[in-house]
Amino acid sequence: MQFSERIRAMQSSPIRRLLPFSDEAKKAGKKVYHLNIGQPDIKTPDEYFQAVRNFRVDTIEYATSQGSNDLRDAISDYYKSWDIPYERDDMYITNGGSEALWFIVMTICDVGDELLVPEPFYANYNAFAQASLAKLVPIPTKAEEGFHLPPADVIEKLITPRTRAIWISNPGNPTGAVYTAAELEMLAGIARKHDIYLISDEVYREFTYDGQKFTSLGHMKDVLDRLIMVDSVSKRFSACGARIGCLIIKNREFLAQTLKLCQGRLCVSTLEQVGATGLYRTAKSYLEEVNREYKSRRDTLYRALQEMKGVVCEEPKGAFYVMVKMPVDDAEKFIVWMLQNYDLNGETMMGAPGNGFYATPGQGKSEMRLAYVLKNEDLVRATNILKGALEAYPGRLEAIRA
Ligand SMILES: Cc1ncc(COP(=O)(O)O)c(C=O)c1O
């Protein structure tokens, strides 16, 4: 029996593939601080639980393939509060932002078609592209420039007859970059000129810090027919397990094509859509409070990293991740070593190896992505462990001793 080329070519998620090592550490009685995955410890708003508790029907029926009207109306209201004119009929509810991304790639790409993505990028973009036999073409960005976009001519040189879209995460996972209005205008101009789509993954929209105002590609009115917006309740409302996301576009033809995929998977959980509708009715003050909490966590983590010799990183401006260059040859080996060999009073920690966030071979090998999703006390413990582990690691580069 055989496996498809497609599945064999796919890489495992760098965020999850080292979990067997953390399971082993836990079996050995150690506590593991998980900074490898964007799973926040923030409480889900009570509105979710109330909505679920109040849901009473005799039969749990299939929902419509497009998603429930109540939820889509709630999302439409939410977008209008951001001054983005999305209506119920512009969107489909999906199983997380993940399914939305998957459906988008399947809708616009044939085998070998290309998607331009600023690199480093959210590792699962590789999975969605590889599963569809599409190709991610990296737009190079630099840590020392805060992972901001290169000028238009650099991006345009990457465009070929096979390019289907420019795909961004804004605010960025794993970079923490928040694109400026000028950068987004530039992307909109390129997309119009070359007649390609824009995919804007804005699942971290509320998480920008230092008073920075968030601009969405949804604010660029002249690209709304080619802009595919991706969203989710996972991070916004700390409801990752609800698996509710959506894709939105003001383009009926696109929606008619994607509907085939939505119908193929029938629908999204009826009950979770009820819970998510409750979430979108949560008071704005919840999001403001959560933003303050993440900013404080960002500060805690960034301060601790700056104090570690040989560790290099830029201050992230949004989302809740930071890409860190470690004074080691191979961050993956270091993470495994730490889980197997290092603990501080019975506690250890875990990051995600950076290479999985790149498409360019060899890039990100000495990098690690850390998620500041744990409360400050835990972040302090986790960074103390990281500091100690780096000092004890036999494979560390000389830089740490300098
Ligand atoms: C940038 C980005 N997009 C999409 C997702 C998918 O999230 P979900 O499927 O939980 O909505 C994630 C999850 O970490 C993410 O970081």
Side-chain angles (χ1 to χ4, degrees):
M1 284 186 293
Q2 302 237 342
F3 295 104
S4 65
E5 284 295 334
R6 172 189 290 117
I7 201 73
R8 284 191 287 139
M10 274 181 79
Q11 67 167 44
S12 317
S13 162
I15 301 161
R16 289 173 182 254
R17 71 168 176 251
L18 301 184
L19 287 181
F21 295 100
S22 71
D23 289 344
E24 282 299 314
K26 286 176 197 169
K27 259 193 225 149
K30 294 182 200 169
K31 179 175 169 66
V32 181
Y33 291 101
H34 282 280
L35 273 58
N36 58 306
I37 188 163
Q39 171 55 69
D41 63 4
I42 304 269
K43 271 196 180 155
T44 310
D46 208 36
E47 281 77 355
Y48 170 87
F49 301 100
Q50 271 170 19
V52 168
R53 269 196 297 271
N54 292 339
F55 183 63
R56 287 274 176 283
V57 286
D58 293 329
T59 306
I60 298 278
E61 295 181 349
Y62 286 123
T64 61
S65 297
Q66 292 90 331
S68 88
N69 287 346
D70 285 352
L71 177 54
R72 289 187 298 155
D73 286 343
I75 295 175
S76 164
D77 289 348
Y78 160 84
Y79 270 95
K80 285 174 188 161
S81 78
W82 274 97
D83 208 18
I84 302 173
Y86 285 140
E87 304 293 341
R88 177 204 289 179
D89 290 340
D90 300 329
M91 67 184 85
Y92 294 148
I93 305 302
T94 52
N95 288 290
S98 305
E99 190 182 60
L101 290 165
W102 210 305
F103 283 0
I104 291 164
V105 178
M106 302 240 279
T107 301
I108 64 176
C109 287
D110 282 318
V111 174
D113 282 347
E114 296 169 4
L115 298 157
L116 263 48
V117 188
E119 183 182 59
F121 49 81
Y122 173 49
N124 282 329
Y125 290 178
N126 266 326
F128 307 135
Q130 286 166 355
S132 309
L133 299 177
K135 192 175 153 205
L136 292 186
V137 176
I139 299 172
T141 69
K142 293 187 188 139
E144 54 281 18
E145 292 170 3
F147 297 105
H148 279 278
L149 296 173
D153 61 312
V154 175
I155 299 176
E156 286 192 86
K157 275 196 199 109
L158 300 169
I159 293 181
T160 74
R162 310 241 30 191
T163 308
R164 295 288 166 264
I166 301 175
W167 181 355
I168 59 167
S169 149
N170 183 34
N173 172 10
T175 60
V178 181
Y179 296 132
T180 62
E183 284 174 290
L184 299 173
E185 290 283 7
M186 171 184 74
L187 292 182
I190 295 173
R192 274 195 311 268
K193 181 170 162 193
H194 296 273
D195 196 18
I196 55 177
Y197 289 102
L198 291 162
I199 306 169
S200 197
D201 177 347
E202 299 188 7
V203 303
Y204 299 97
R205 186 178 296 119
E206 276 74 16
F207 308 130
T208 60
Y209 314 115
D210 309 322
Q212 212 167 338
K213 189 177 163 285
F214 178 73
T215 307
S216 166
L217 265 175
H219 291 126
M220 317 279 141
K221 302 268 187 297
D222 50 0
V223 288
L224 290 183
D225 60 334
R226 65 179 69 245
L227 167 64
I228 317 159
M229 179 69 72
V230 173
D231 214 333
S232 167
V233 301
S234 291
K235 317 290 168 164
R236 177 168 307 131
F237 299 112
S238 198
C240 296
R243 310 307 309 131
I244 296 289
C246 63
L247 68 82
I248 318 179
I249 184 168
K250 282 199 173 286
N251 180 326
R252 295 283 161 251
E253 213 184 328
F254 182 102
L255 288 165
Q257 297 297 343
T258 308
L259 185 59
K260 299 173 201 168
L261 292 166
C262 295
Q263 289 176 340
R265 63 82 164 104
L266 305 181
C267 70
V268 171
S269 157
T270 302
L271 183 59
E272 292 294 357
Q273 292 191 70
V274 170
T277 307
L279 289 175
Y280 274 101
R281 304 292 182 207
T282 304
K284 244 193 160 150
S285 55
Y286 168 86
L287 294 171
E288 288 158 5
E289 203 179 307
V290 170
N291 176 291
R292 281 194 291 278
E293 176 63 23
Y294 280 123
K295 184 200 174 292
S296 145
R297 293 175 181 196
R298 192 271 318 254
D299 293 344
T300 301
L301 179 62
Y302 183 59
R303 219 173 12 244
L305 290 169
Q306 276 185 310
E307 282 164 13
M308 291 181 208
K309 269 194 189 152
V311 166
V312 183
C313 67
E314 294 295 310
E315 184 180 55
K317 299 294 179 195
F320 41 61
Y321 306 95
V322 59
M323 268 315 244
V324 189
K325 201 165 163 41
M326 309 298 291
V328 300
D329 256 347
D330 186 331
E332 181 155 344
K333 280 192 191 147
F334 171 64
I335 294 164
V336 172
W337 177 87
M338 194 160 41
L339 288 168
Q340 290 182 325
N341 299 291
Y342 188 82
D343 69 89
L344 200 59
N345 307 319
E347 298 185 332
T348 189
M349 64 85 71
M350 184 176 184
N355 55 4
F357 297 84
Y358 289 81
T360 309
Q363 287 276 333
K365 199 169 166 217
S366 64
E367 292 170 27
M368 184 155 117
R369 188 198 70 169
L370 297 177
Y372 41 99
V373 286
L374 305 183
K375 57 180 183 283
N376 277 313
E377 302 96 276
D378 289 352
L379 282 178
V380 168
R381 287 208 183 87
T383 48
N384 282 340
I385 294 163
L386 180 61
K387 186 165 182 276
L390 271 176
E391 279 161 12
Y393 185 49
R396 71 194 180 281
L397 298 179
E398 284 308 305
I400 197 169
R401 297 199 199 111

